[in-house]
Amino acid sequence: MVSALNVIDVSRVTPSDSPEPFTLSLTFFDLLWYKLHPVQRVIFYRLADATRPFFDSVIVPNLKSSLSSSLSHYLPLAGKLVWDSLDKKPSLKYSQNDAVSFTVAESNAEFSLLTGNKPFPTTELYPLVPELQVSDESASAVSFQVTLFPNQGFCIGVTAHHAVLDGKTTTMFLKFWANTCKRQQDQTVNASVSQDLIPIYDRTVIKAPGDIETKIMNQLNSFFKMVSGGKEPENPRSLKILPSQELSPDVVRFTLDLTREDIQTLRERLKRESSASSLPKELRLSTFVVTFSYVLTCLIRARGGDPNRPVGYGFAVDCRSLLDPPVPSNYFGNCVSASLGMPLTAETFMGEEGFLSAARMVSDSVEGLDETVALKLPEIMGAFMSSLPPGAQLLSVAGSTRFGVYGLDFGWGKPQRVVIVSIDQGEAISMAEGRDGNGGVEIGFSLKKHEMESLIDLLHQGLKS
């Protein structure tokens, strides 16, 4: 039975101060995403006191008033992406009376199923994320939804336009909002917010090589033409998002909680295998390298099929610390590039040394990161578009163990579960730090039911060996 959602209210939340109009240009990092699928997150909070009266009189008013206050510090989020006729690229504009959409709803879904460790239909998550208002002429930056699960808890759904903010900026804003909401309830409103949560809008900190924006726009136009079957777009300035991938009804969600001990077990296994195979250099066995390599190997094996089938991997790279001079960590906007491993064949990962092969490649990818990963963005986009044939298995990562999403306490405790819903759009996994803060990693998967069953077996087998 599909759960039912009752929408109680849809309103607009404006910044608490009414400032002057504000325009923010898009950098070459932002342009990459201006027509791509938004990022959708759901943050679940367990709360037995979450009755409808408490929800209506305490939770919702506190969330709305603290959101209004927070938007005053994050004005672009209340604005819209537009593409003026005289401009070469879209920009982000805030005008007085602009607002974010805020939906209030109630669900009869089983909270413990959505936050637990057993597979469940991914369709259960979609009613919990709000729509982003997008047309040919404009696109909202973010929208929010808070949903009650009576006497079980509530969740906050966030849909964010990726051309406006990356994962680092999104979580920076969510921390600011959570901090504000908690202080409001604790009546410590005068306590200052940490300076690293105050956004910097100075676009001059991003040093763009002369023609990189033109190259990226050309690559994007080629990509848009390719996905529309070779046809030129009717409106080249349209801000409409590309069509979403059709979701199969048998796709399920599963979250794996790897403990610090699990990761150490996998690390020791790689050390044994690498010394036995006399690799020319020592592997960089960071938590990310170990975890991603393990998951990558299990996912490719779970799909099975022709050993010669093409596969690849990619992961986002935060360029803030890689650029020279470094970009401040509280810079508002996108500052991510990507590292790709492709084209490869499934056979590489299916053999006895598949996990070690994956770790060697991912380790080399991480070791090779420097400032050029940002400047090579057009070439990386070109490689992504041309290296793998349609239908190839390309595995990517959303989220990061460095974002600290389990520290998002709005005044009702830390989250029970944080889910990135949008990994359904492509072959992606999600990553976050473990909820208990003890050095573990949480990995979210979205796969067809039969493939998920194979994957879960492989994941658990590998931790025993």
Side-chain angles (χ1 to χ4, degrees):
M1 185 184 80
V2 178
S3 304
L5 186 85
N6 170 35
V7 174
I8 299 166
D9 181 50
V10 180
S11 58
R12 299 168 76 251
V13 176
T14 56
S16 55
D17 297 333
S18 188
E20 295 299 307
F22 185 84
T23 300
L24 205 55
S25 63
L26 297 192
T27 72
F28 69 93
F29 285 118
D30 302 315
L31 289 173
L32 176 62
W33 307 98
Y34 85 93
K35 284 178 76 74
L36 300 188
H37 196 274
V39 181
Q40 301 160 309
R41 286 177 177 80
V42 183
I43 310 158
F44 291 93
Y45 293 90
R46 185 179 293 285
L47 189 67
D49 295 341
T51 60
R52 178 65 189 271
F54 185 76
F55 182 68
D56 288 344
S57 64
V58 178
I59 295 175
V60 171
N62 271 297
L63 286 173
K64 284 180 81 168
S65 60
S66 57
L67 175 59
S68 175
S69 174
S70 302
L71 287 171
S72 295
H73 296 272
Y74 283 80
L75 275 185
L77 296 187
K80 290 183 175 65
L81 275 180
V82 295
W83 194 340
D84 290 342
S85 57
L86 298 177
D87 292 344
K88 291 182 179 177
K89 60 181 182 179
S91 59
L92 186 57
K93 290 198 172 183
Y94 168 77
S95 304
Q96 284 179 319
N97 301 320
D98 276 351
V100 298
S101 173
F102 189 91
T103 301
V104 179
E106 183 176 341
S107 170
N108 68 352
E110 192 182 332
F111 185 90
S112 57
L113 177 71
L114 302 181
T115 58
N117 291 93
K118 291 182 179 173
F120 65 88
T122 197
T123 48
E124 290 284 329
L125 293 169
Y126 279 84
L128 308 177
V129 287
E131 289 285 316
L132 202 63
Q133 294 164 325
V134 177
S135 68
D136 283 327
E137 290 76 32
S138 70
S140 295
V142 287
S143 54
F144 301 96
Q145 177 175 322
V146 56
T147 304
L148 170 70
F149 302 85
N151 306 309
Q152 302 173 82
F154 68 96
C155 69
I156 298 172
V158 184
T159 301
H161 201 303
H162 210 326
V164 177
L165 62 184
D166 61 11
K168 177 87 167 64
T169 301
T170 304
T171 46
M172 185 170 80
F173 169 73
L174 291 172
K175 286 175 186 177
F176 190 103
W177 179 20
N179 186 298
T180 305
C181 189
K182 190 171 192 300
R183 285 187 298 116
Q184 195 171 274
Q185 292 170 80
D186 296 344
Q187 296 183 329
T188 55
V189 179
N190 294 328
S192 61
V193 174
S194 171
Q195 277 301 305
D196 61 2
L197 298 181
I198 305 290
I200 289 174
Y201 297 111
D202 181 7
R203 290 313 205 210
T204 64
V205 301
I206 303 289
K207 311 294 183 198
D211 59 350
I212 195 166
E213 287 188 0
T214 305
K215 285 181 178 177
I216 285 174
M217 292 301 276
N218 288 342
Q219 290 277 18
L220 285 171
N221 290 334
S222 300
F223 177 67
F224 300 153
K225 191 174 174 181
M226 183 177 77
V227 296
S228 61
K231 291 186 294 186
E232 293 287 347
E234 286 180 25
N235 178 2
R237 289 171 178 263
S238 171
L239 294 173
K240 275 190 179 169
I241 302 293
L242 293 176
S244 296
Q245 192 173 304
E246 194 71 33
L247 195 63
S248 171
D250 65 342
V251 171
V252 294
R253 281 293 173 129
F254 170 68
T255 301
L256 175 71
D257 291 307
L258 282 179
T259 64
R260 187 161 76 176
E261 291 71 30
D262 290 333
I263 295 163
Q264 189 56 31
T265 298
L266 294 171
R267 186 179 283 119
E268 293 301 328
R269 180 174 145 195
L270 286 170
K271 284 179 182 175
R272 287 196 307 273
E273 291 182 11
S274 63
S275 57
S277 69
S278 61
L279 286 175
K281 65 175 183 176
E282 202 170 312
L283 295 176
R284 179 195 184 107
L285 296 180
S286 65
T287 295
F288 172 76
V289 170
V290 172
T291 306
F292 185 48
S293 305
Y294 182 61
V295 166
L296 180 64
T297 308
C298 291
L299 279 163
I300 291 169
R301 289 175 176 173
R303 177 145 317 169
D306 180 0
N308 294 314
R309 66 185 175 85
V311 299
Y313 68 83
F315 56 87
V317 179
D318 185 348
C319 296
R320 286 167 175 82
S321 62
L322 294 175
L323 293 172
D324 185 19
V327 173
S329 65
N330 52 341
Y331 168 78
F332 179 100
N334 285 279
C335 194
V336 288
S337 183
S339 179
L340 302 178
M342 59 171 68
L344 308 164
T345 59
E347 185 176 29
T348 310
F349 304 89
M350 287 177 163
E352 269 190 33
E353 291 198 344
F355 180 27
L356 180 62
S357 299
R360 187 174 66 246
M361 286 184 271
V362 176
S363 172
D364 287 348
S365 294
V366 173
E367 285 283 353
L369 296 178
D370 57 23
E371 186 181 18
T372 60
V373 75
L375 309 182
K376 288 180 181 171
L377 203 47
E379 290 81 353
I380 292 167
M381 289 169 64
F384 170 74
M385 284 161 29
S386 61
S387 293
L388 286 178
Q393 192 176 9
L394 171 64
L395 299 157
S396 60
V397 185
S400 167
T401 56
R402 296 179 179 179
F403 289 162
V405 291
Y406 280 99
L408 292 171
D409 181 358
F410 285 80
W412 300 283
K414 67 181 181 182
Q416 185 70 23
R417 180 72 82 198
V418 180
V419 178
I420 300 182
V421 179
S422 42
I423 62 169
D424 291 332
Q425 298 299 316
E427 306 228 22
I429 61 165
S430 64
M431 267 195 194
E433 76 283 6
R435 182 178 184 270
D436 62 9
N438 290 332
V441 176
E442 181 181 289
I443 304 138
F445 300 93
S446 173
L447 289 171
K448 289 188 176 178
K449 192 168 184 288
H450 69 92
E451 205 169 311
M452 188 70 88
E453 288 166 356
S454 301
L455 174 69
I456 292 169
D457 286 344
L458 287 164
L459 288 168
H460 291 318
Q461 282 169 24
L463 291 171
K464 291 172 189 168
S465 58

